[in-house]
Amino acid sequence: MKFTSRYIQGSLVAMTLTLGAAAQEAAPAPAQPAPPKEKQIVNRIAAMVNGRPITSSEVRSRLTPYIRELLMLYPKQGPRFNAELVKAKKAVMEDLIERELVLSECETRGMMLPDAAIDEEINRRVLYQFNGRRDLLLETLRQSGMAYSDYRESVRKEYLVAAMRNTRYDRGIPPTPDEINEEYRATKSDYRDITQDVITYDKIFIPAVSYDQSKSPDEQYALAQEVRRQLDAGEISFAEAARKYSADAHAEDGGEWPAIKRADLAVEFANIVFSLDNGKLTGPLLDPAGFTIVRVKSKKLAPAPPLSKVKEAVDDAVRRKQSERRYRAWVERLREKAVVRTFI
């Protein structure tokens, strides 16, 4: 499978816009035919649950972050990419189907949510799923063909499901202080402000097209793979490889980058590098301009909030774990009585 222009489309578009602006300043632009209308994303029905629709835009919106990360990890896609994508799509569909099953019960009980609670949940998702950048959320929705109002409605539904689940396990025995403390110790990192995490790494960047345009994206990717092989085999040090092969601004420094906050990195890239142990390599990763090999040097994670600030959430987490088997059995009973049809 060969690389196509879509891998460097972002860079080409930016270049075209810059050159176009310069040309307009130099001379009057000739008359141009009307541009073709942008293709509209069709919002089909992906599934029906007891007559309740799940739209394809909901599925796309949930899948988009996974796809971005998978494209970065598997530049040529292939079997592993496809297998991971199928797994992600199945998980998304199962989650949305379960959501609709539980929502039927919510409506029966007349459960409602204040707007402030929905706003708070959206803010939490922007923080943890988009590094605190609301513009990335909006861009993801645009790419999936989902309006913000529909996204807000989707969040409302998911929040209602969580509230309904609370009613299922609140009847259990309240957690003991020891159970709460143990849960907090095990999961306190999950409550951090992750946008304040800081990382240092070494980086080798190989452009998708060589600067003299003598090498194609496929040849450049093959070069990136060869560099990674040499690094893994110990045939060359990272600093030597950076100075020899990298087209990065820090190549002469051996590829060593200064510390950078997670919030200043692309979400997909941040998810990958922050998941690595110190000293580990990853890549070649795909980005809009080329291929990157990274070695993580150190990570400084933002501090966890004190238990006093997150005690309610930790309490909920303990109750959820205690009631998981009972909740799953209840959902299965709902599914047995339901009419579920999938179309994608």
Side-chain angles (χ1 to χ4, degrees):
M1 176 179 177
K2 290 190 175 183
F3 288 101
T4 62
S5 60
R6 71 187 177 88
Y7 290 97
I8 51 176
Q9 184 178 11
S11 299
L12 292 178
V13 168
M15 185 182 297
T16 301
L17 291 175
T18 303
L19 293 176
Q24 282 185 334
E25 292 176 3
Q32 297 289 334
K37 290 184 178 180
E38 185 177 348
K39 292 182 179 179
Q40 298 294 316
I41 298 176
V42 178
N43 194 16
R44 298 186 176 91
I45 301 299
M48 295 288 289
V49 181
N50 290 335
R52 303 170 61 95
I54 296 172
T55 65
S56 58
S57 67
E58 288 183 283
V59 178
R60 284 194 299 267
S61 178
R62 294 279 197 97
L63 275 177
T64 296
Y66 295 106
I67 294 173
R68 285 177 172 172
E69 195 167 320
L70 288 174
L71 284 172
M72 182 171 280
L73 283 167
Y74 307 110
K76 282 201 169 185
Q77 301 181 27
R80 290 186 65 185
F81 172 90
N82 292 331
E84 291 296 327
L85 182 57
V86 167
K87 187 189 303 183
K89 182 178 177 181
K90 181 179 180 181
V92 164
M93 286 296 294
E94 286 299 312
D95 189 54
L96 289 173
I97 288 170
E98 179 177 314
R99 183 195 72 181
E100 294 304 321
L101 290 170
V102 178
L103 276 173
S104 296
E105 294 293 310
C106 293
E107 292 182 352
T108 299
R109 299 186 180 202
M111 296 178 68
M112 301 287 289
L113 279 177
D115 287 342
I118 303 172
D119 292 335
E120 183 178 345
E121 175 60 14
I122 291 176
N123 290 337
R124 187 191 69 81
R125 295 185 183 202
V126 168
L127 174 63
Y128 287 100
Q129 296 177 9
F130 300 94
N131 281 2
R133 291 182 55 186
R134 187 171 290 266
D135 61 312
L136 292 182
L137 164 64
L138 298 177
E139 174 62 16
T140 297
L141 295 178
R142 187 192 68 78
Q143 291 180 357
S144 66
M146 190 179 207
Y148 181 79
S149 58
D150 293 333
Y151 173 75
R152 185 181 175 84
E153 174 63 12
S154 178
V155 172
R156 184 192 70 83
K157 289 180 178 180
E158 291 168 29
Y159 204 116
L160 272 174
V161 169
M164 183 66 179
R165 178 167 182 157
N166 287 345
T167 67
R168 301 297 303 179
Y169 64 69
D170 271 349
R171 289 176 289 180
I173 300 173
T176 66
D178 286 345
E179 288 173 330
I180 291 176
N181 287 329
E182 182 179 350
E183 176 69 15
Y184 173 71
R185 284 193 296 270
T187 63
K188 61 182 179 181
S189 182
D190 296 342
Y191 301 100
R192 297 180 296 105
D193 179 359
I194 64 171
T195 64
Q196 299 305 306
D197 291 349
V198 175
I199 191 169
T200 57
Y201 53 72
D202 299 326
K203 176 181 172 183
I204 295 170
F205 170 70
I206 296 175
V209 179
S210 58
Y211 290 138
D212 61 4
Q213 297 189 342
S214 63
K215 300 291 179 62
S216 69
D218 280 304
E219 290 172 309
Q220 291 292 88
Y221 181 60
L223 172 60
Q225 288 181 307
E226 172 58 19
V227 173
R228 174 62 192 271
R229 186 199 67 76
Q230 292 179 27
L231 291 169
D232 288 338
E235 297 175 4
I236 191 171
S237 71
F238 200 101
E240 290 172 329
R243 294 188 184 102
K244 183 176 181 180
Y245 297 108
S246 183
D248 183 82
H250 298 279
E252 289 303 314
D253 301 323
E256 183 177 348
W257 272 62
I260 187 169
K261 282 186 177 181
R262 182 177 190 135
D264 294 329
L265 298 172
V267 175
E268 304 80 24
F269 182 76
N271 289 342
I272 293 170
V273 295
F274 272 97
S275 69
L276 297 175
D277 293 331
N278 293 345
K280 293 295 184 180
L281 285 170
T282 187
L285 304 174
L286 174 70
D287 69 27
F291 312 101
T292 298
I293 300 170
V294 176
R295 180 178 64 185
V296 174
K297 296 178 68 177
S298 66
K299 292 177 289 186
K300 183 180 179 182
L301 304 183
L307 176 58
S308 59
K309 287 191 175 181
V310 294
K311 188 173 183 179
E312 183 177 348
V314 176
D315 183 290
D316 283 347
V318 176
R319 291 171 182 263
R320 189 176 299 113
K321 288 180 178 179
Q322 291 175 340
S323 67
E324 181 66 20
R325 184 177 300 177
R326 186 170 69 250
Y327 177 78
R328 285 285 134 216
W330 176 65
V331 169
E332 284 305 311
R333 289 196 296 272
L334 293 179
R335 185 183 289 270
E336 289 171 2
K337 297 185 294 183
V339 178
V340 179
R341 299 176 64 194
T342 59
F343 306 104
I344 63 172

